[in-house]
Every structure is written in C-alpha cells, then in structure tokens.
Amino acid sequence: MSNAKTAAAQGPRIKKKRRSQAGEIWRRLKKSKPAMISMWFIIFLILCAVFAPLIAPYDYAKQDLANKFVMPCLAHPLGTDNFGRDLLSRLIYGGRISLLVSFFSVIISVGIAVILGVTVGYFGGMYDNIVMRILDIFMAIPGMMLAISISAALGPGLVNTAIAISIGGIPPFARQLRASVMLVREEEYVEASHAFGASDWRIMFKHILPNTLAPIIVQISLRLGDNILSIAGLSFIGLGVQPPTPEWGNILSSGREYISTYWPLITFPGILIGLAMLAFNLFGDGLRDAMDPRLKQ
C-alpha cells in the first residue's frame, strides 16, 4: 500500500520535471534572436503552404499571354512569368510542394534510420559492421550526386523526388542514433530493465530511444533546409517536380532563358530558397544550443 502511495506521489513530480525541462529549453531558445526569427519565418512558410488557396491572389495555372513578363505592380506584386501566370501565386503554391516533399523525405529518412541506428547500436557485433559498411558506401557518394542518380533511375515526380532525397539522409541519422545508443545502453536503468526481464525490443524503443532523440530533433531541422535546396536542384535540372506543377526549383529553371531580360522570374524564387534554407539552419543551430545540457546554468 505504501509503495502505491509513493508511486502516486512521484508521478506528478516526474511530470512537473518533464514540463520544466521543456520550459528550460524554450527559455534558452528564446534568448537566440536568429533562432526565434527563423522559427517565425518557418511558421509563416508553413501557414502560407497550408492556406495557399486562400492566400494566393490568382490561380497558379491560369495563363494570360497578353500580360506575360509584367514587372512587379499592384495587380501582380511579384510580376508574371513567360506565360502570364502570377508569380506570387506560383511561389506560394511552390512553397507547399517544396515543404511537403522536404518533410516527407525526412520522415522516410528518420523512419529507416531509427530502426537501423537503434538496432546496430544495441546489438553491435557483425550486424553492426555490415550495416555500417553499407552506410559508409552511401556516405562516400556526394548527396546531390546520389539524389540525381536515384531520381534518374526512378524518374521525375513528387514521390520519386522524396525517395531520391531521403536515401541520402539515412546514413547521417543512423550514425547519430548509433552513437547515442552505444552511450545509453550501459546506463543503470537499461540494466534494471534487463534484470526485470524486459525484451530487447521493449528496451530499445521504450527506454533507450526516447533518451537519444535530442540530437535527432536538431538534425531534422538542419536536414529540412538541405532538402529544400536538393529538391530545388533536382527540379532545376528537370529530374524533380515537373511543370506545370509549381516548385521553387522549376520556377527558377524556367527563368534561366530570361535572366538578362526579366529579373523577377529568377530573383524571387532564388531569394525564397535561400531564406528557407537559412531559416532552418539557424533554427537548428539555436535548438542545438538550447538542448545542449553542457550549456545549462
């Protein structure tokens, strides 16, 4: 009876401690102005992507050849493209595609990396050596070259682009998780779980994994920015998202022919790609500093 009362009394304390830890991370994150500005910019991009049909002033696919290459004005704040389509509307919808593919590719990378990283870090041995050598092969190939090769083999399209980019993201996540698991698996609470007869899978995914996610959360933010650039790069060379579906990379590609005669078509997509990548990187850096226990005072 006394044990039940003790456990009941400790429950609120544990929850309070978890809330205070999250609050401490948030407090530290708020001290970083670049990270906070980046966070709000990312939220702004996500809201624009979600509510694109309500925000976009025009249909992104509607052509008006009589008004092509219109310079920025009140009717078309960012001008029109070579088919008379409103550039602002296309960039808003293009952001929806870029963010969607970027998030989807990260989900694939993290999902596979969690299984590989946790299991090789926990079991080790020959299984660890085989998986790590395979991942080393993938890491030896430059990320963009690997994405181009896979995209060329699978063909262009939204899903294939996400798959091509996600494969290059698996090794960094898996190696990060493996290193974290190898540090955590010797902790006392893991040994206690073994003593109570918990299965290996329960120990790995219920006790070890939650305590190794902090570096992965930071890595996800940084990877999202890299993915946006990779998606734009694939679309720019014709291996990613295909027209008429708008994506920042293929919008940028369509402006190559007019770079010397009509600057808005290549300037505004380039600025958006650069700002989005910078925002995710700055937010990731700020989040890493906020979650680093060595910086706690």
Side-chain angles (χ1 to χ4, degrees):
M1 190 68 168
S2 59
N3 292 336
K5 291 181 179 180
T6 303
Q10 289 178 347
R13 294 180 184 176
I14 295 174
K15 292 181 180 179
K16 184 177 180 180
K17 183 178 180 180
R18 288 177 180 173
R19 285 197 299 268
S20 63
Q21 184 178 8
E24 179 67 15
I25 293 174
W26 173 246
R27 183 187 66 82
R28 295 173 63 84
L29 183 63
K30 288 194 296 184
K31 291 182 178 180
S32 174
K33 290 184 179 180
M36 293 303 296
I37 294 173
S38 299
M39 185 190 74
W40 289 115
F41 182 72
I42 293 169
I43 292 174
F44 171 74
L45 289 178
I46 294 174
L47 290 176
C48 287
V50 172
F51 298 105
L54 302 177
I55 298 174
Y58 299 94
D59 180 0
Y60 72 87
K62 183 178 180 180
Q63 299 184 11
D64 185 7
L65 297 179
N67 289 310
K68 61 181 181 179
F69 297 124
V70 172
M71 296 299 288
C73 59
L74 290 177
H76 300 282
L78 300 184
T80 61
D81 66 3
N82 51 321
F83 291 101
R85 297 170 295 192
D86 181 65
L87 189 55
L88 175 60
S89 300
R90 290 185 61 77
L91 289 176
I92 291 174
Y93 276 93
R96 167 184 277 191
I97 300 299
S98 296
L99 291 174
L100 178 64
V101 177
S102 181
F103 279 108
F104 185 54
S105 61
V106 165
I107 290 173
I108 296 175
S109 298
V110 173
I112 297 175
V114 163
I115 297 174
L116 293 177
V118 173
T119 54
V120 299
Y122 182 81
F123 291 114
M126 183 61 68
Y127 172 60
D128 181 12
N129 290 330
I130 294 173
V131 173
M132 285 299 102
R133 297 300 76 77
I134 295 174
L135 294 181
D136 287 342
I137 294 173
F138 282 100
M139 291 193 71
I141 305 173
M144 194 60 190
M145 185 177 296
L146 179 63
I148 290 173
S149 302
I150 297 172
S151 185
L154 297 178
L158 289 175
V159 176
N160 290 345
T161 300
I163 294 173
I165 295 173
S166 65
I167 292 176
I170 295 172
F173 284 120
R175 292 184 71 89
Q176 179 72 61
L177 267 171
R178 172 181 175 270
S180 300
V181 170
M182 291 179 71
L183 292 175
V184 172
R185 69 182 181 182
E186 304 298 334
E187 295 291 336
E188 293 181 356
Y189 63 87
V190 177
E191 296 179 1
S193 299
H194 278 295
F196 280 106
S199 66
D200 290 332
W201 292 99
R202 180 179 178 84
I203 294 172
M204 283 188 290
F205 293 100
K206 184 176 178 60
H207 300 292
I208 294 180
L209 181 60
N211 291 287
T212 59
L213 287 180
I216 296 300
I217 294 173
V218 175
Q219 200 71 15
I220 286 173
S221 177
L222 299 173
R223 188 68 190 180
L224 285 170
D226 293 339
N227 284 352
I228 288 177
L229 183 62
S230 298
I231 294 163
L234 289 177
S235 298
F236 186 82
I237 62 177
L239 292 175
V241 182
Q242 298 297 296
T245 302
E247 194 277 325
W248 292 341
N250 64 31
I251 296 174
L252 191 66
S253 179
S254 66
R256 287 183 297 176
E257 301 177 16
Y258 315 103
I259 188 172
S260 61
T261 57
Y262 186 68
W263 60 266
L265 193 53
I266 199 167
T267 301
F268 292 123
I271 291 174
L272 267 177
I273 293 170
L275 288 178
M277 185 176 179
L278 180 64
F280 278 110
N281 286 337
L282 289 178
F283 179 70
D285 288 340
L287 191 60
R288 178 184 57 199
D289 293 341
M291 300 181 73
D292 191 342
R294 293 173 297 180
L295 299 178
K296 291 183 178 180
Q297 298 177 354

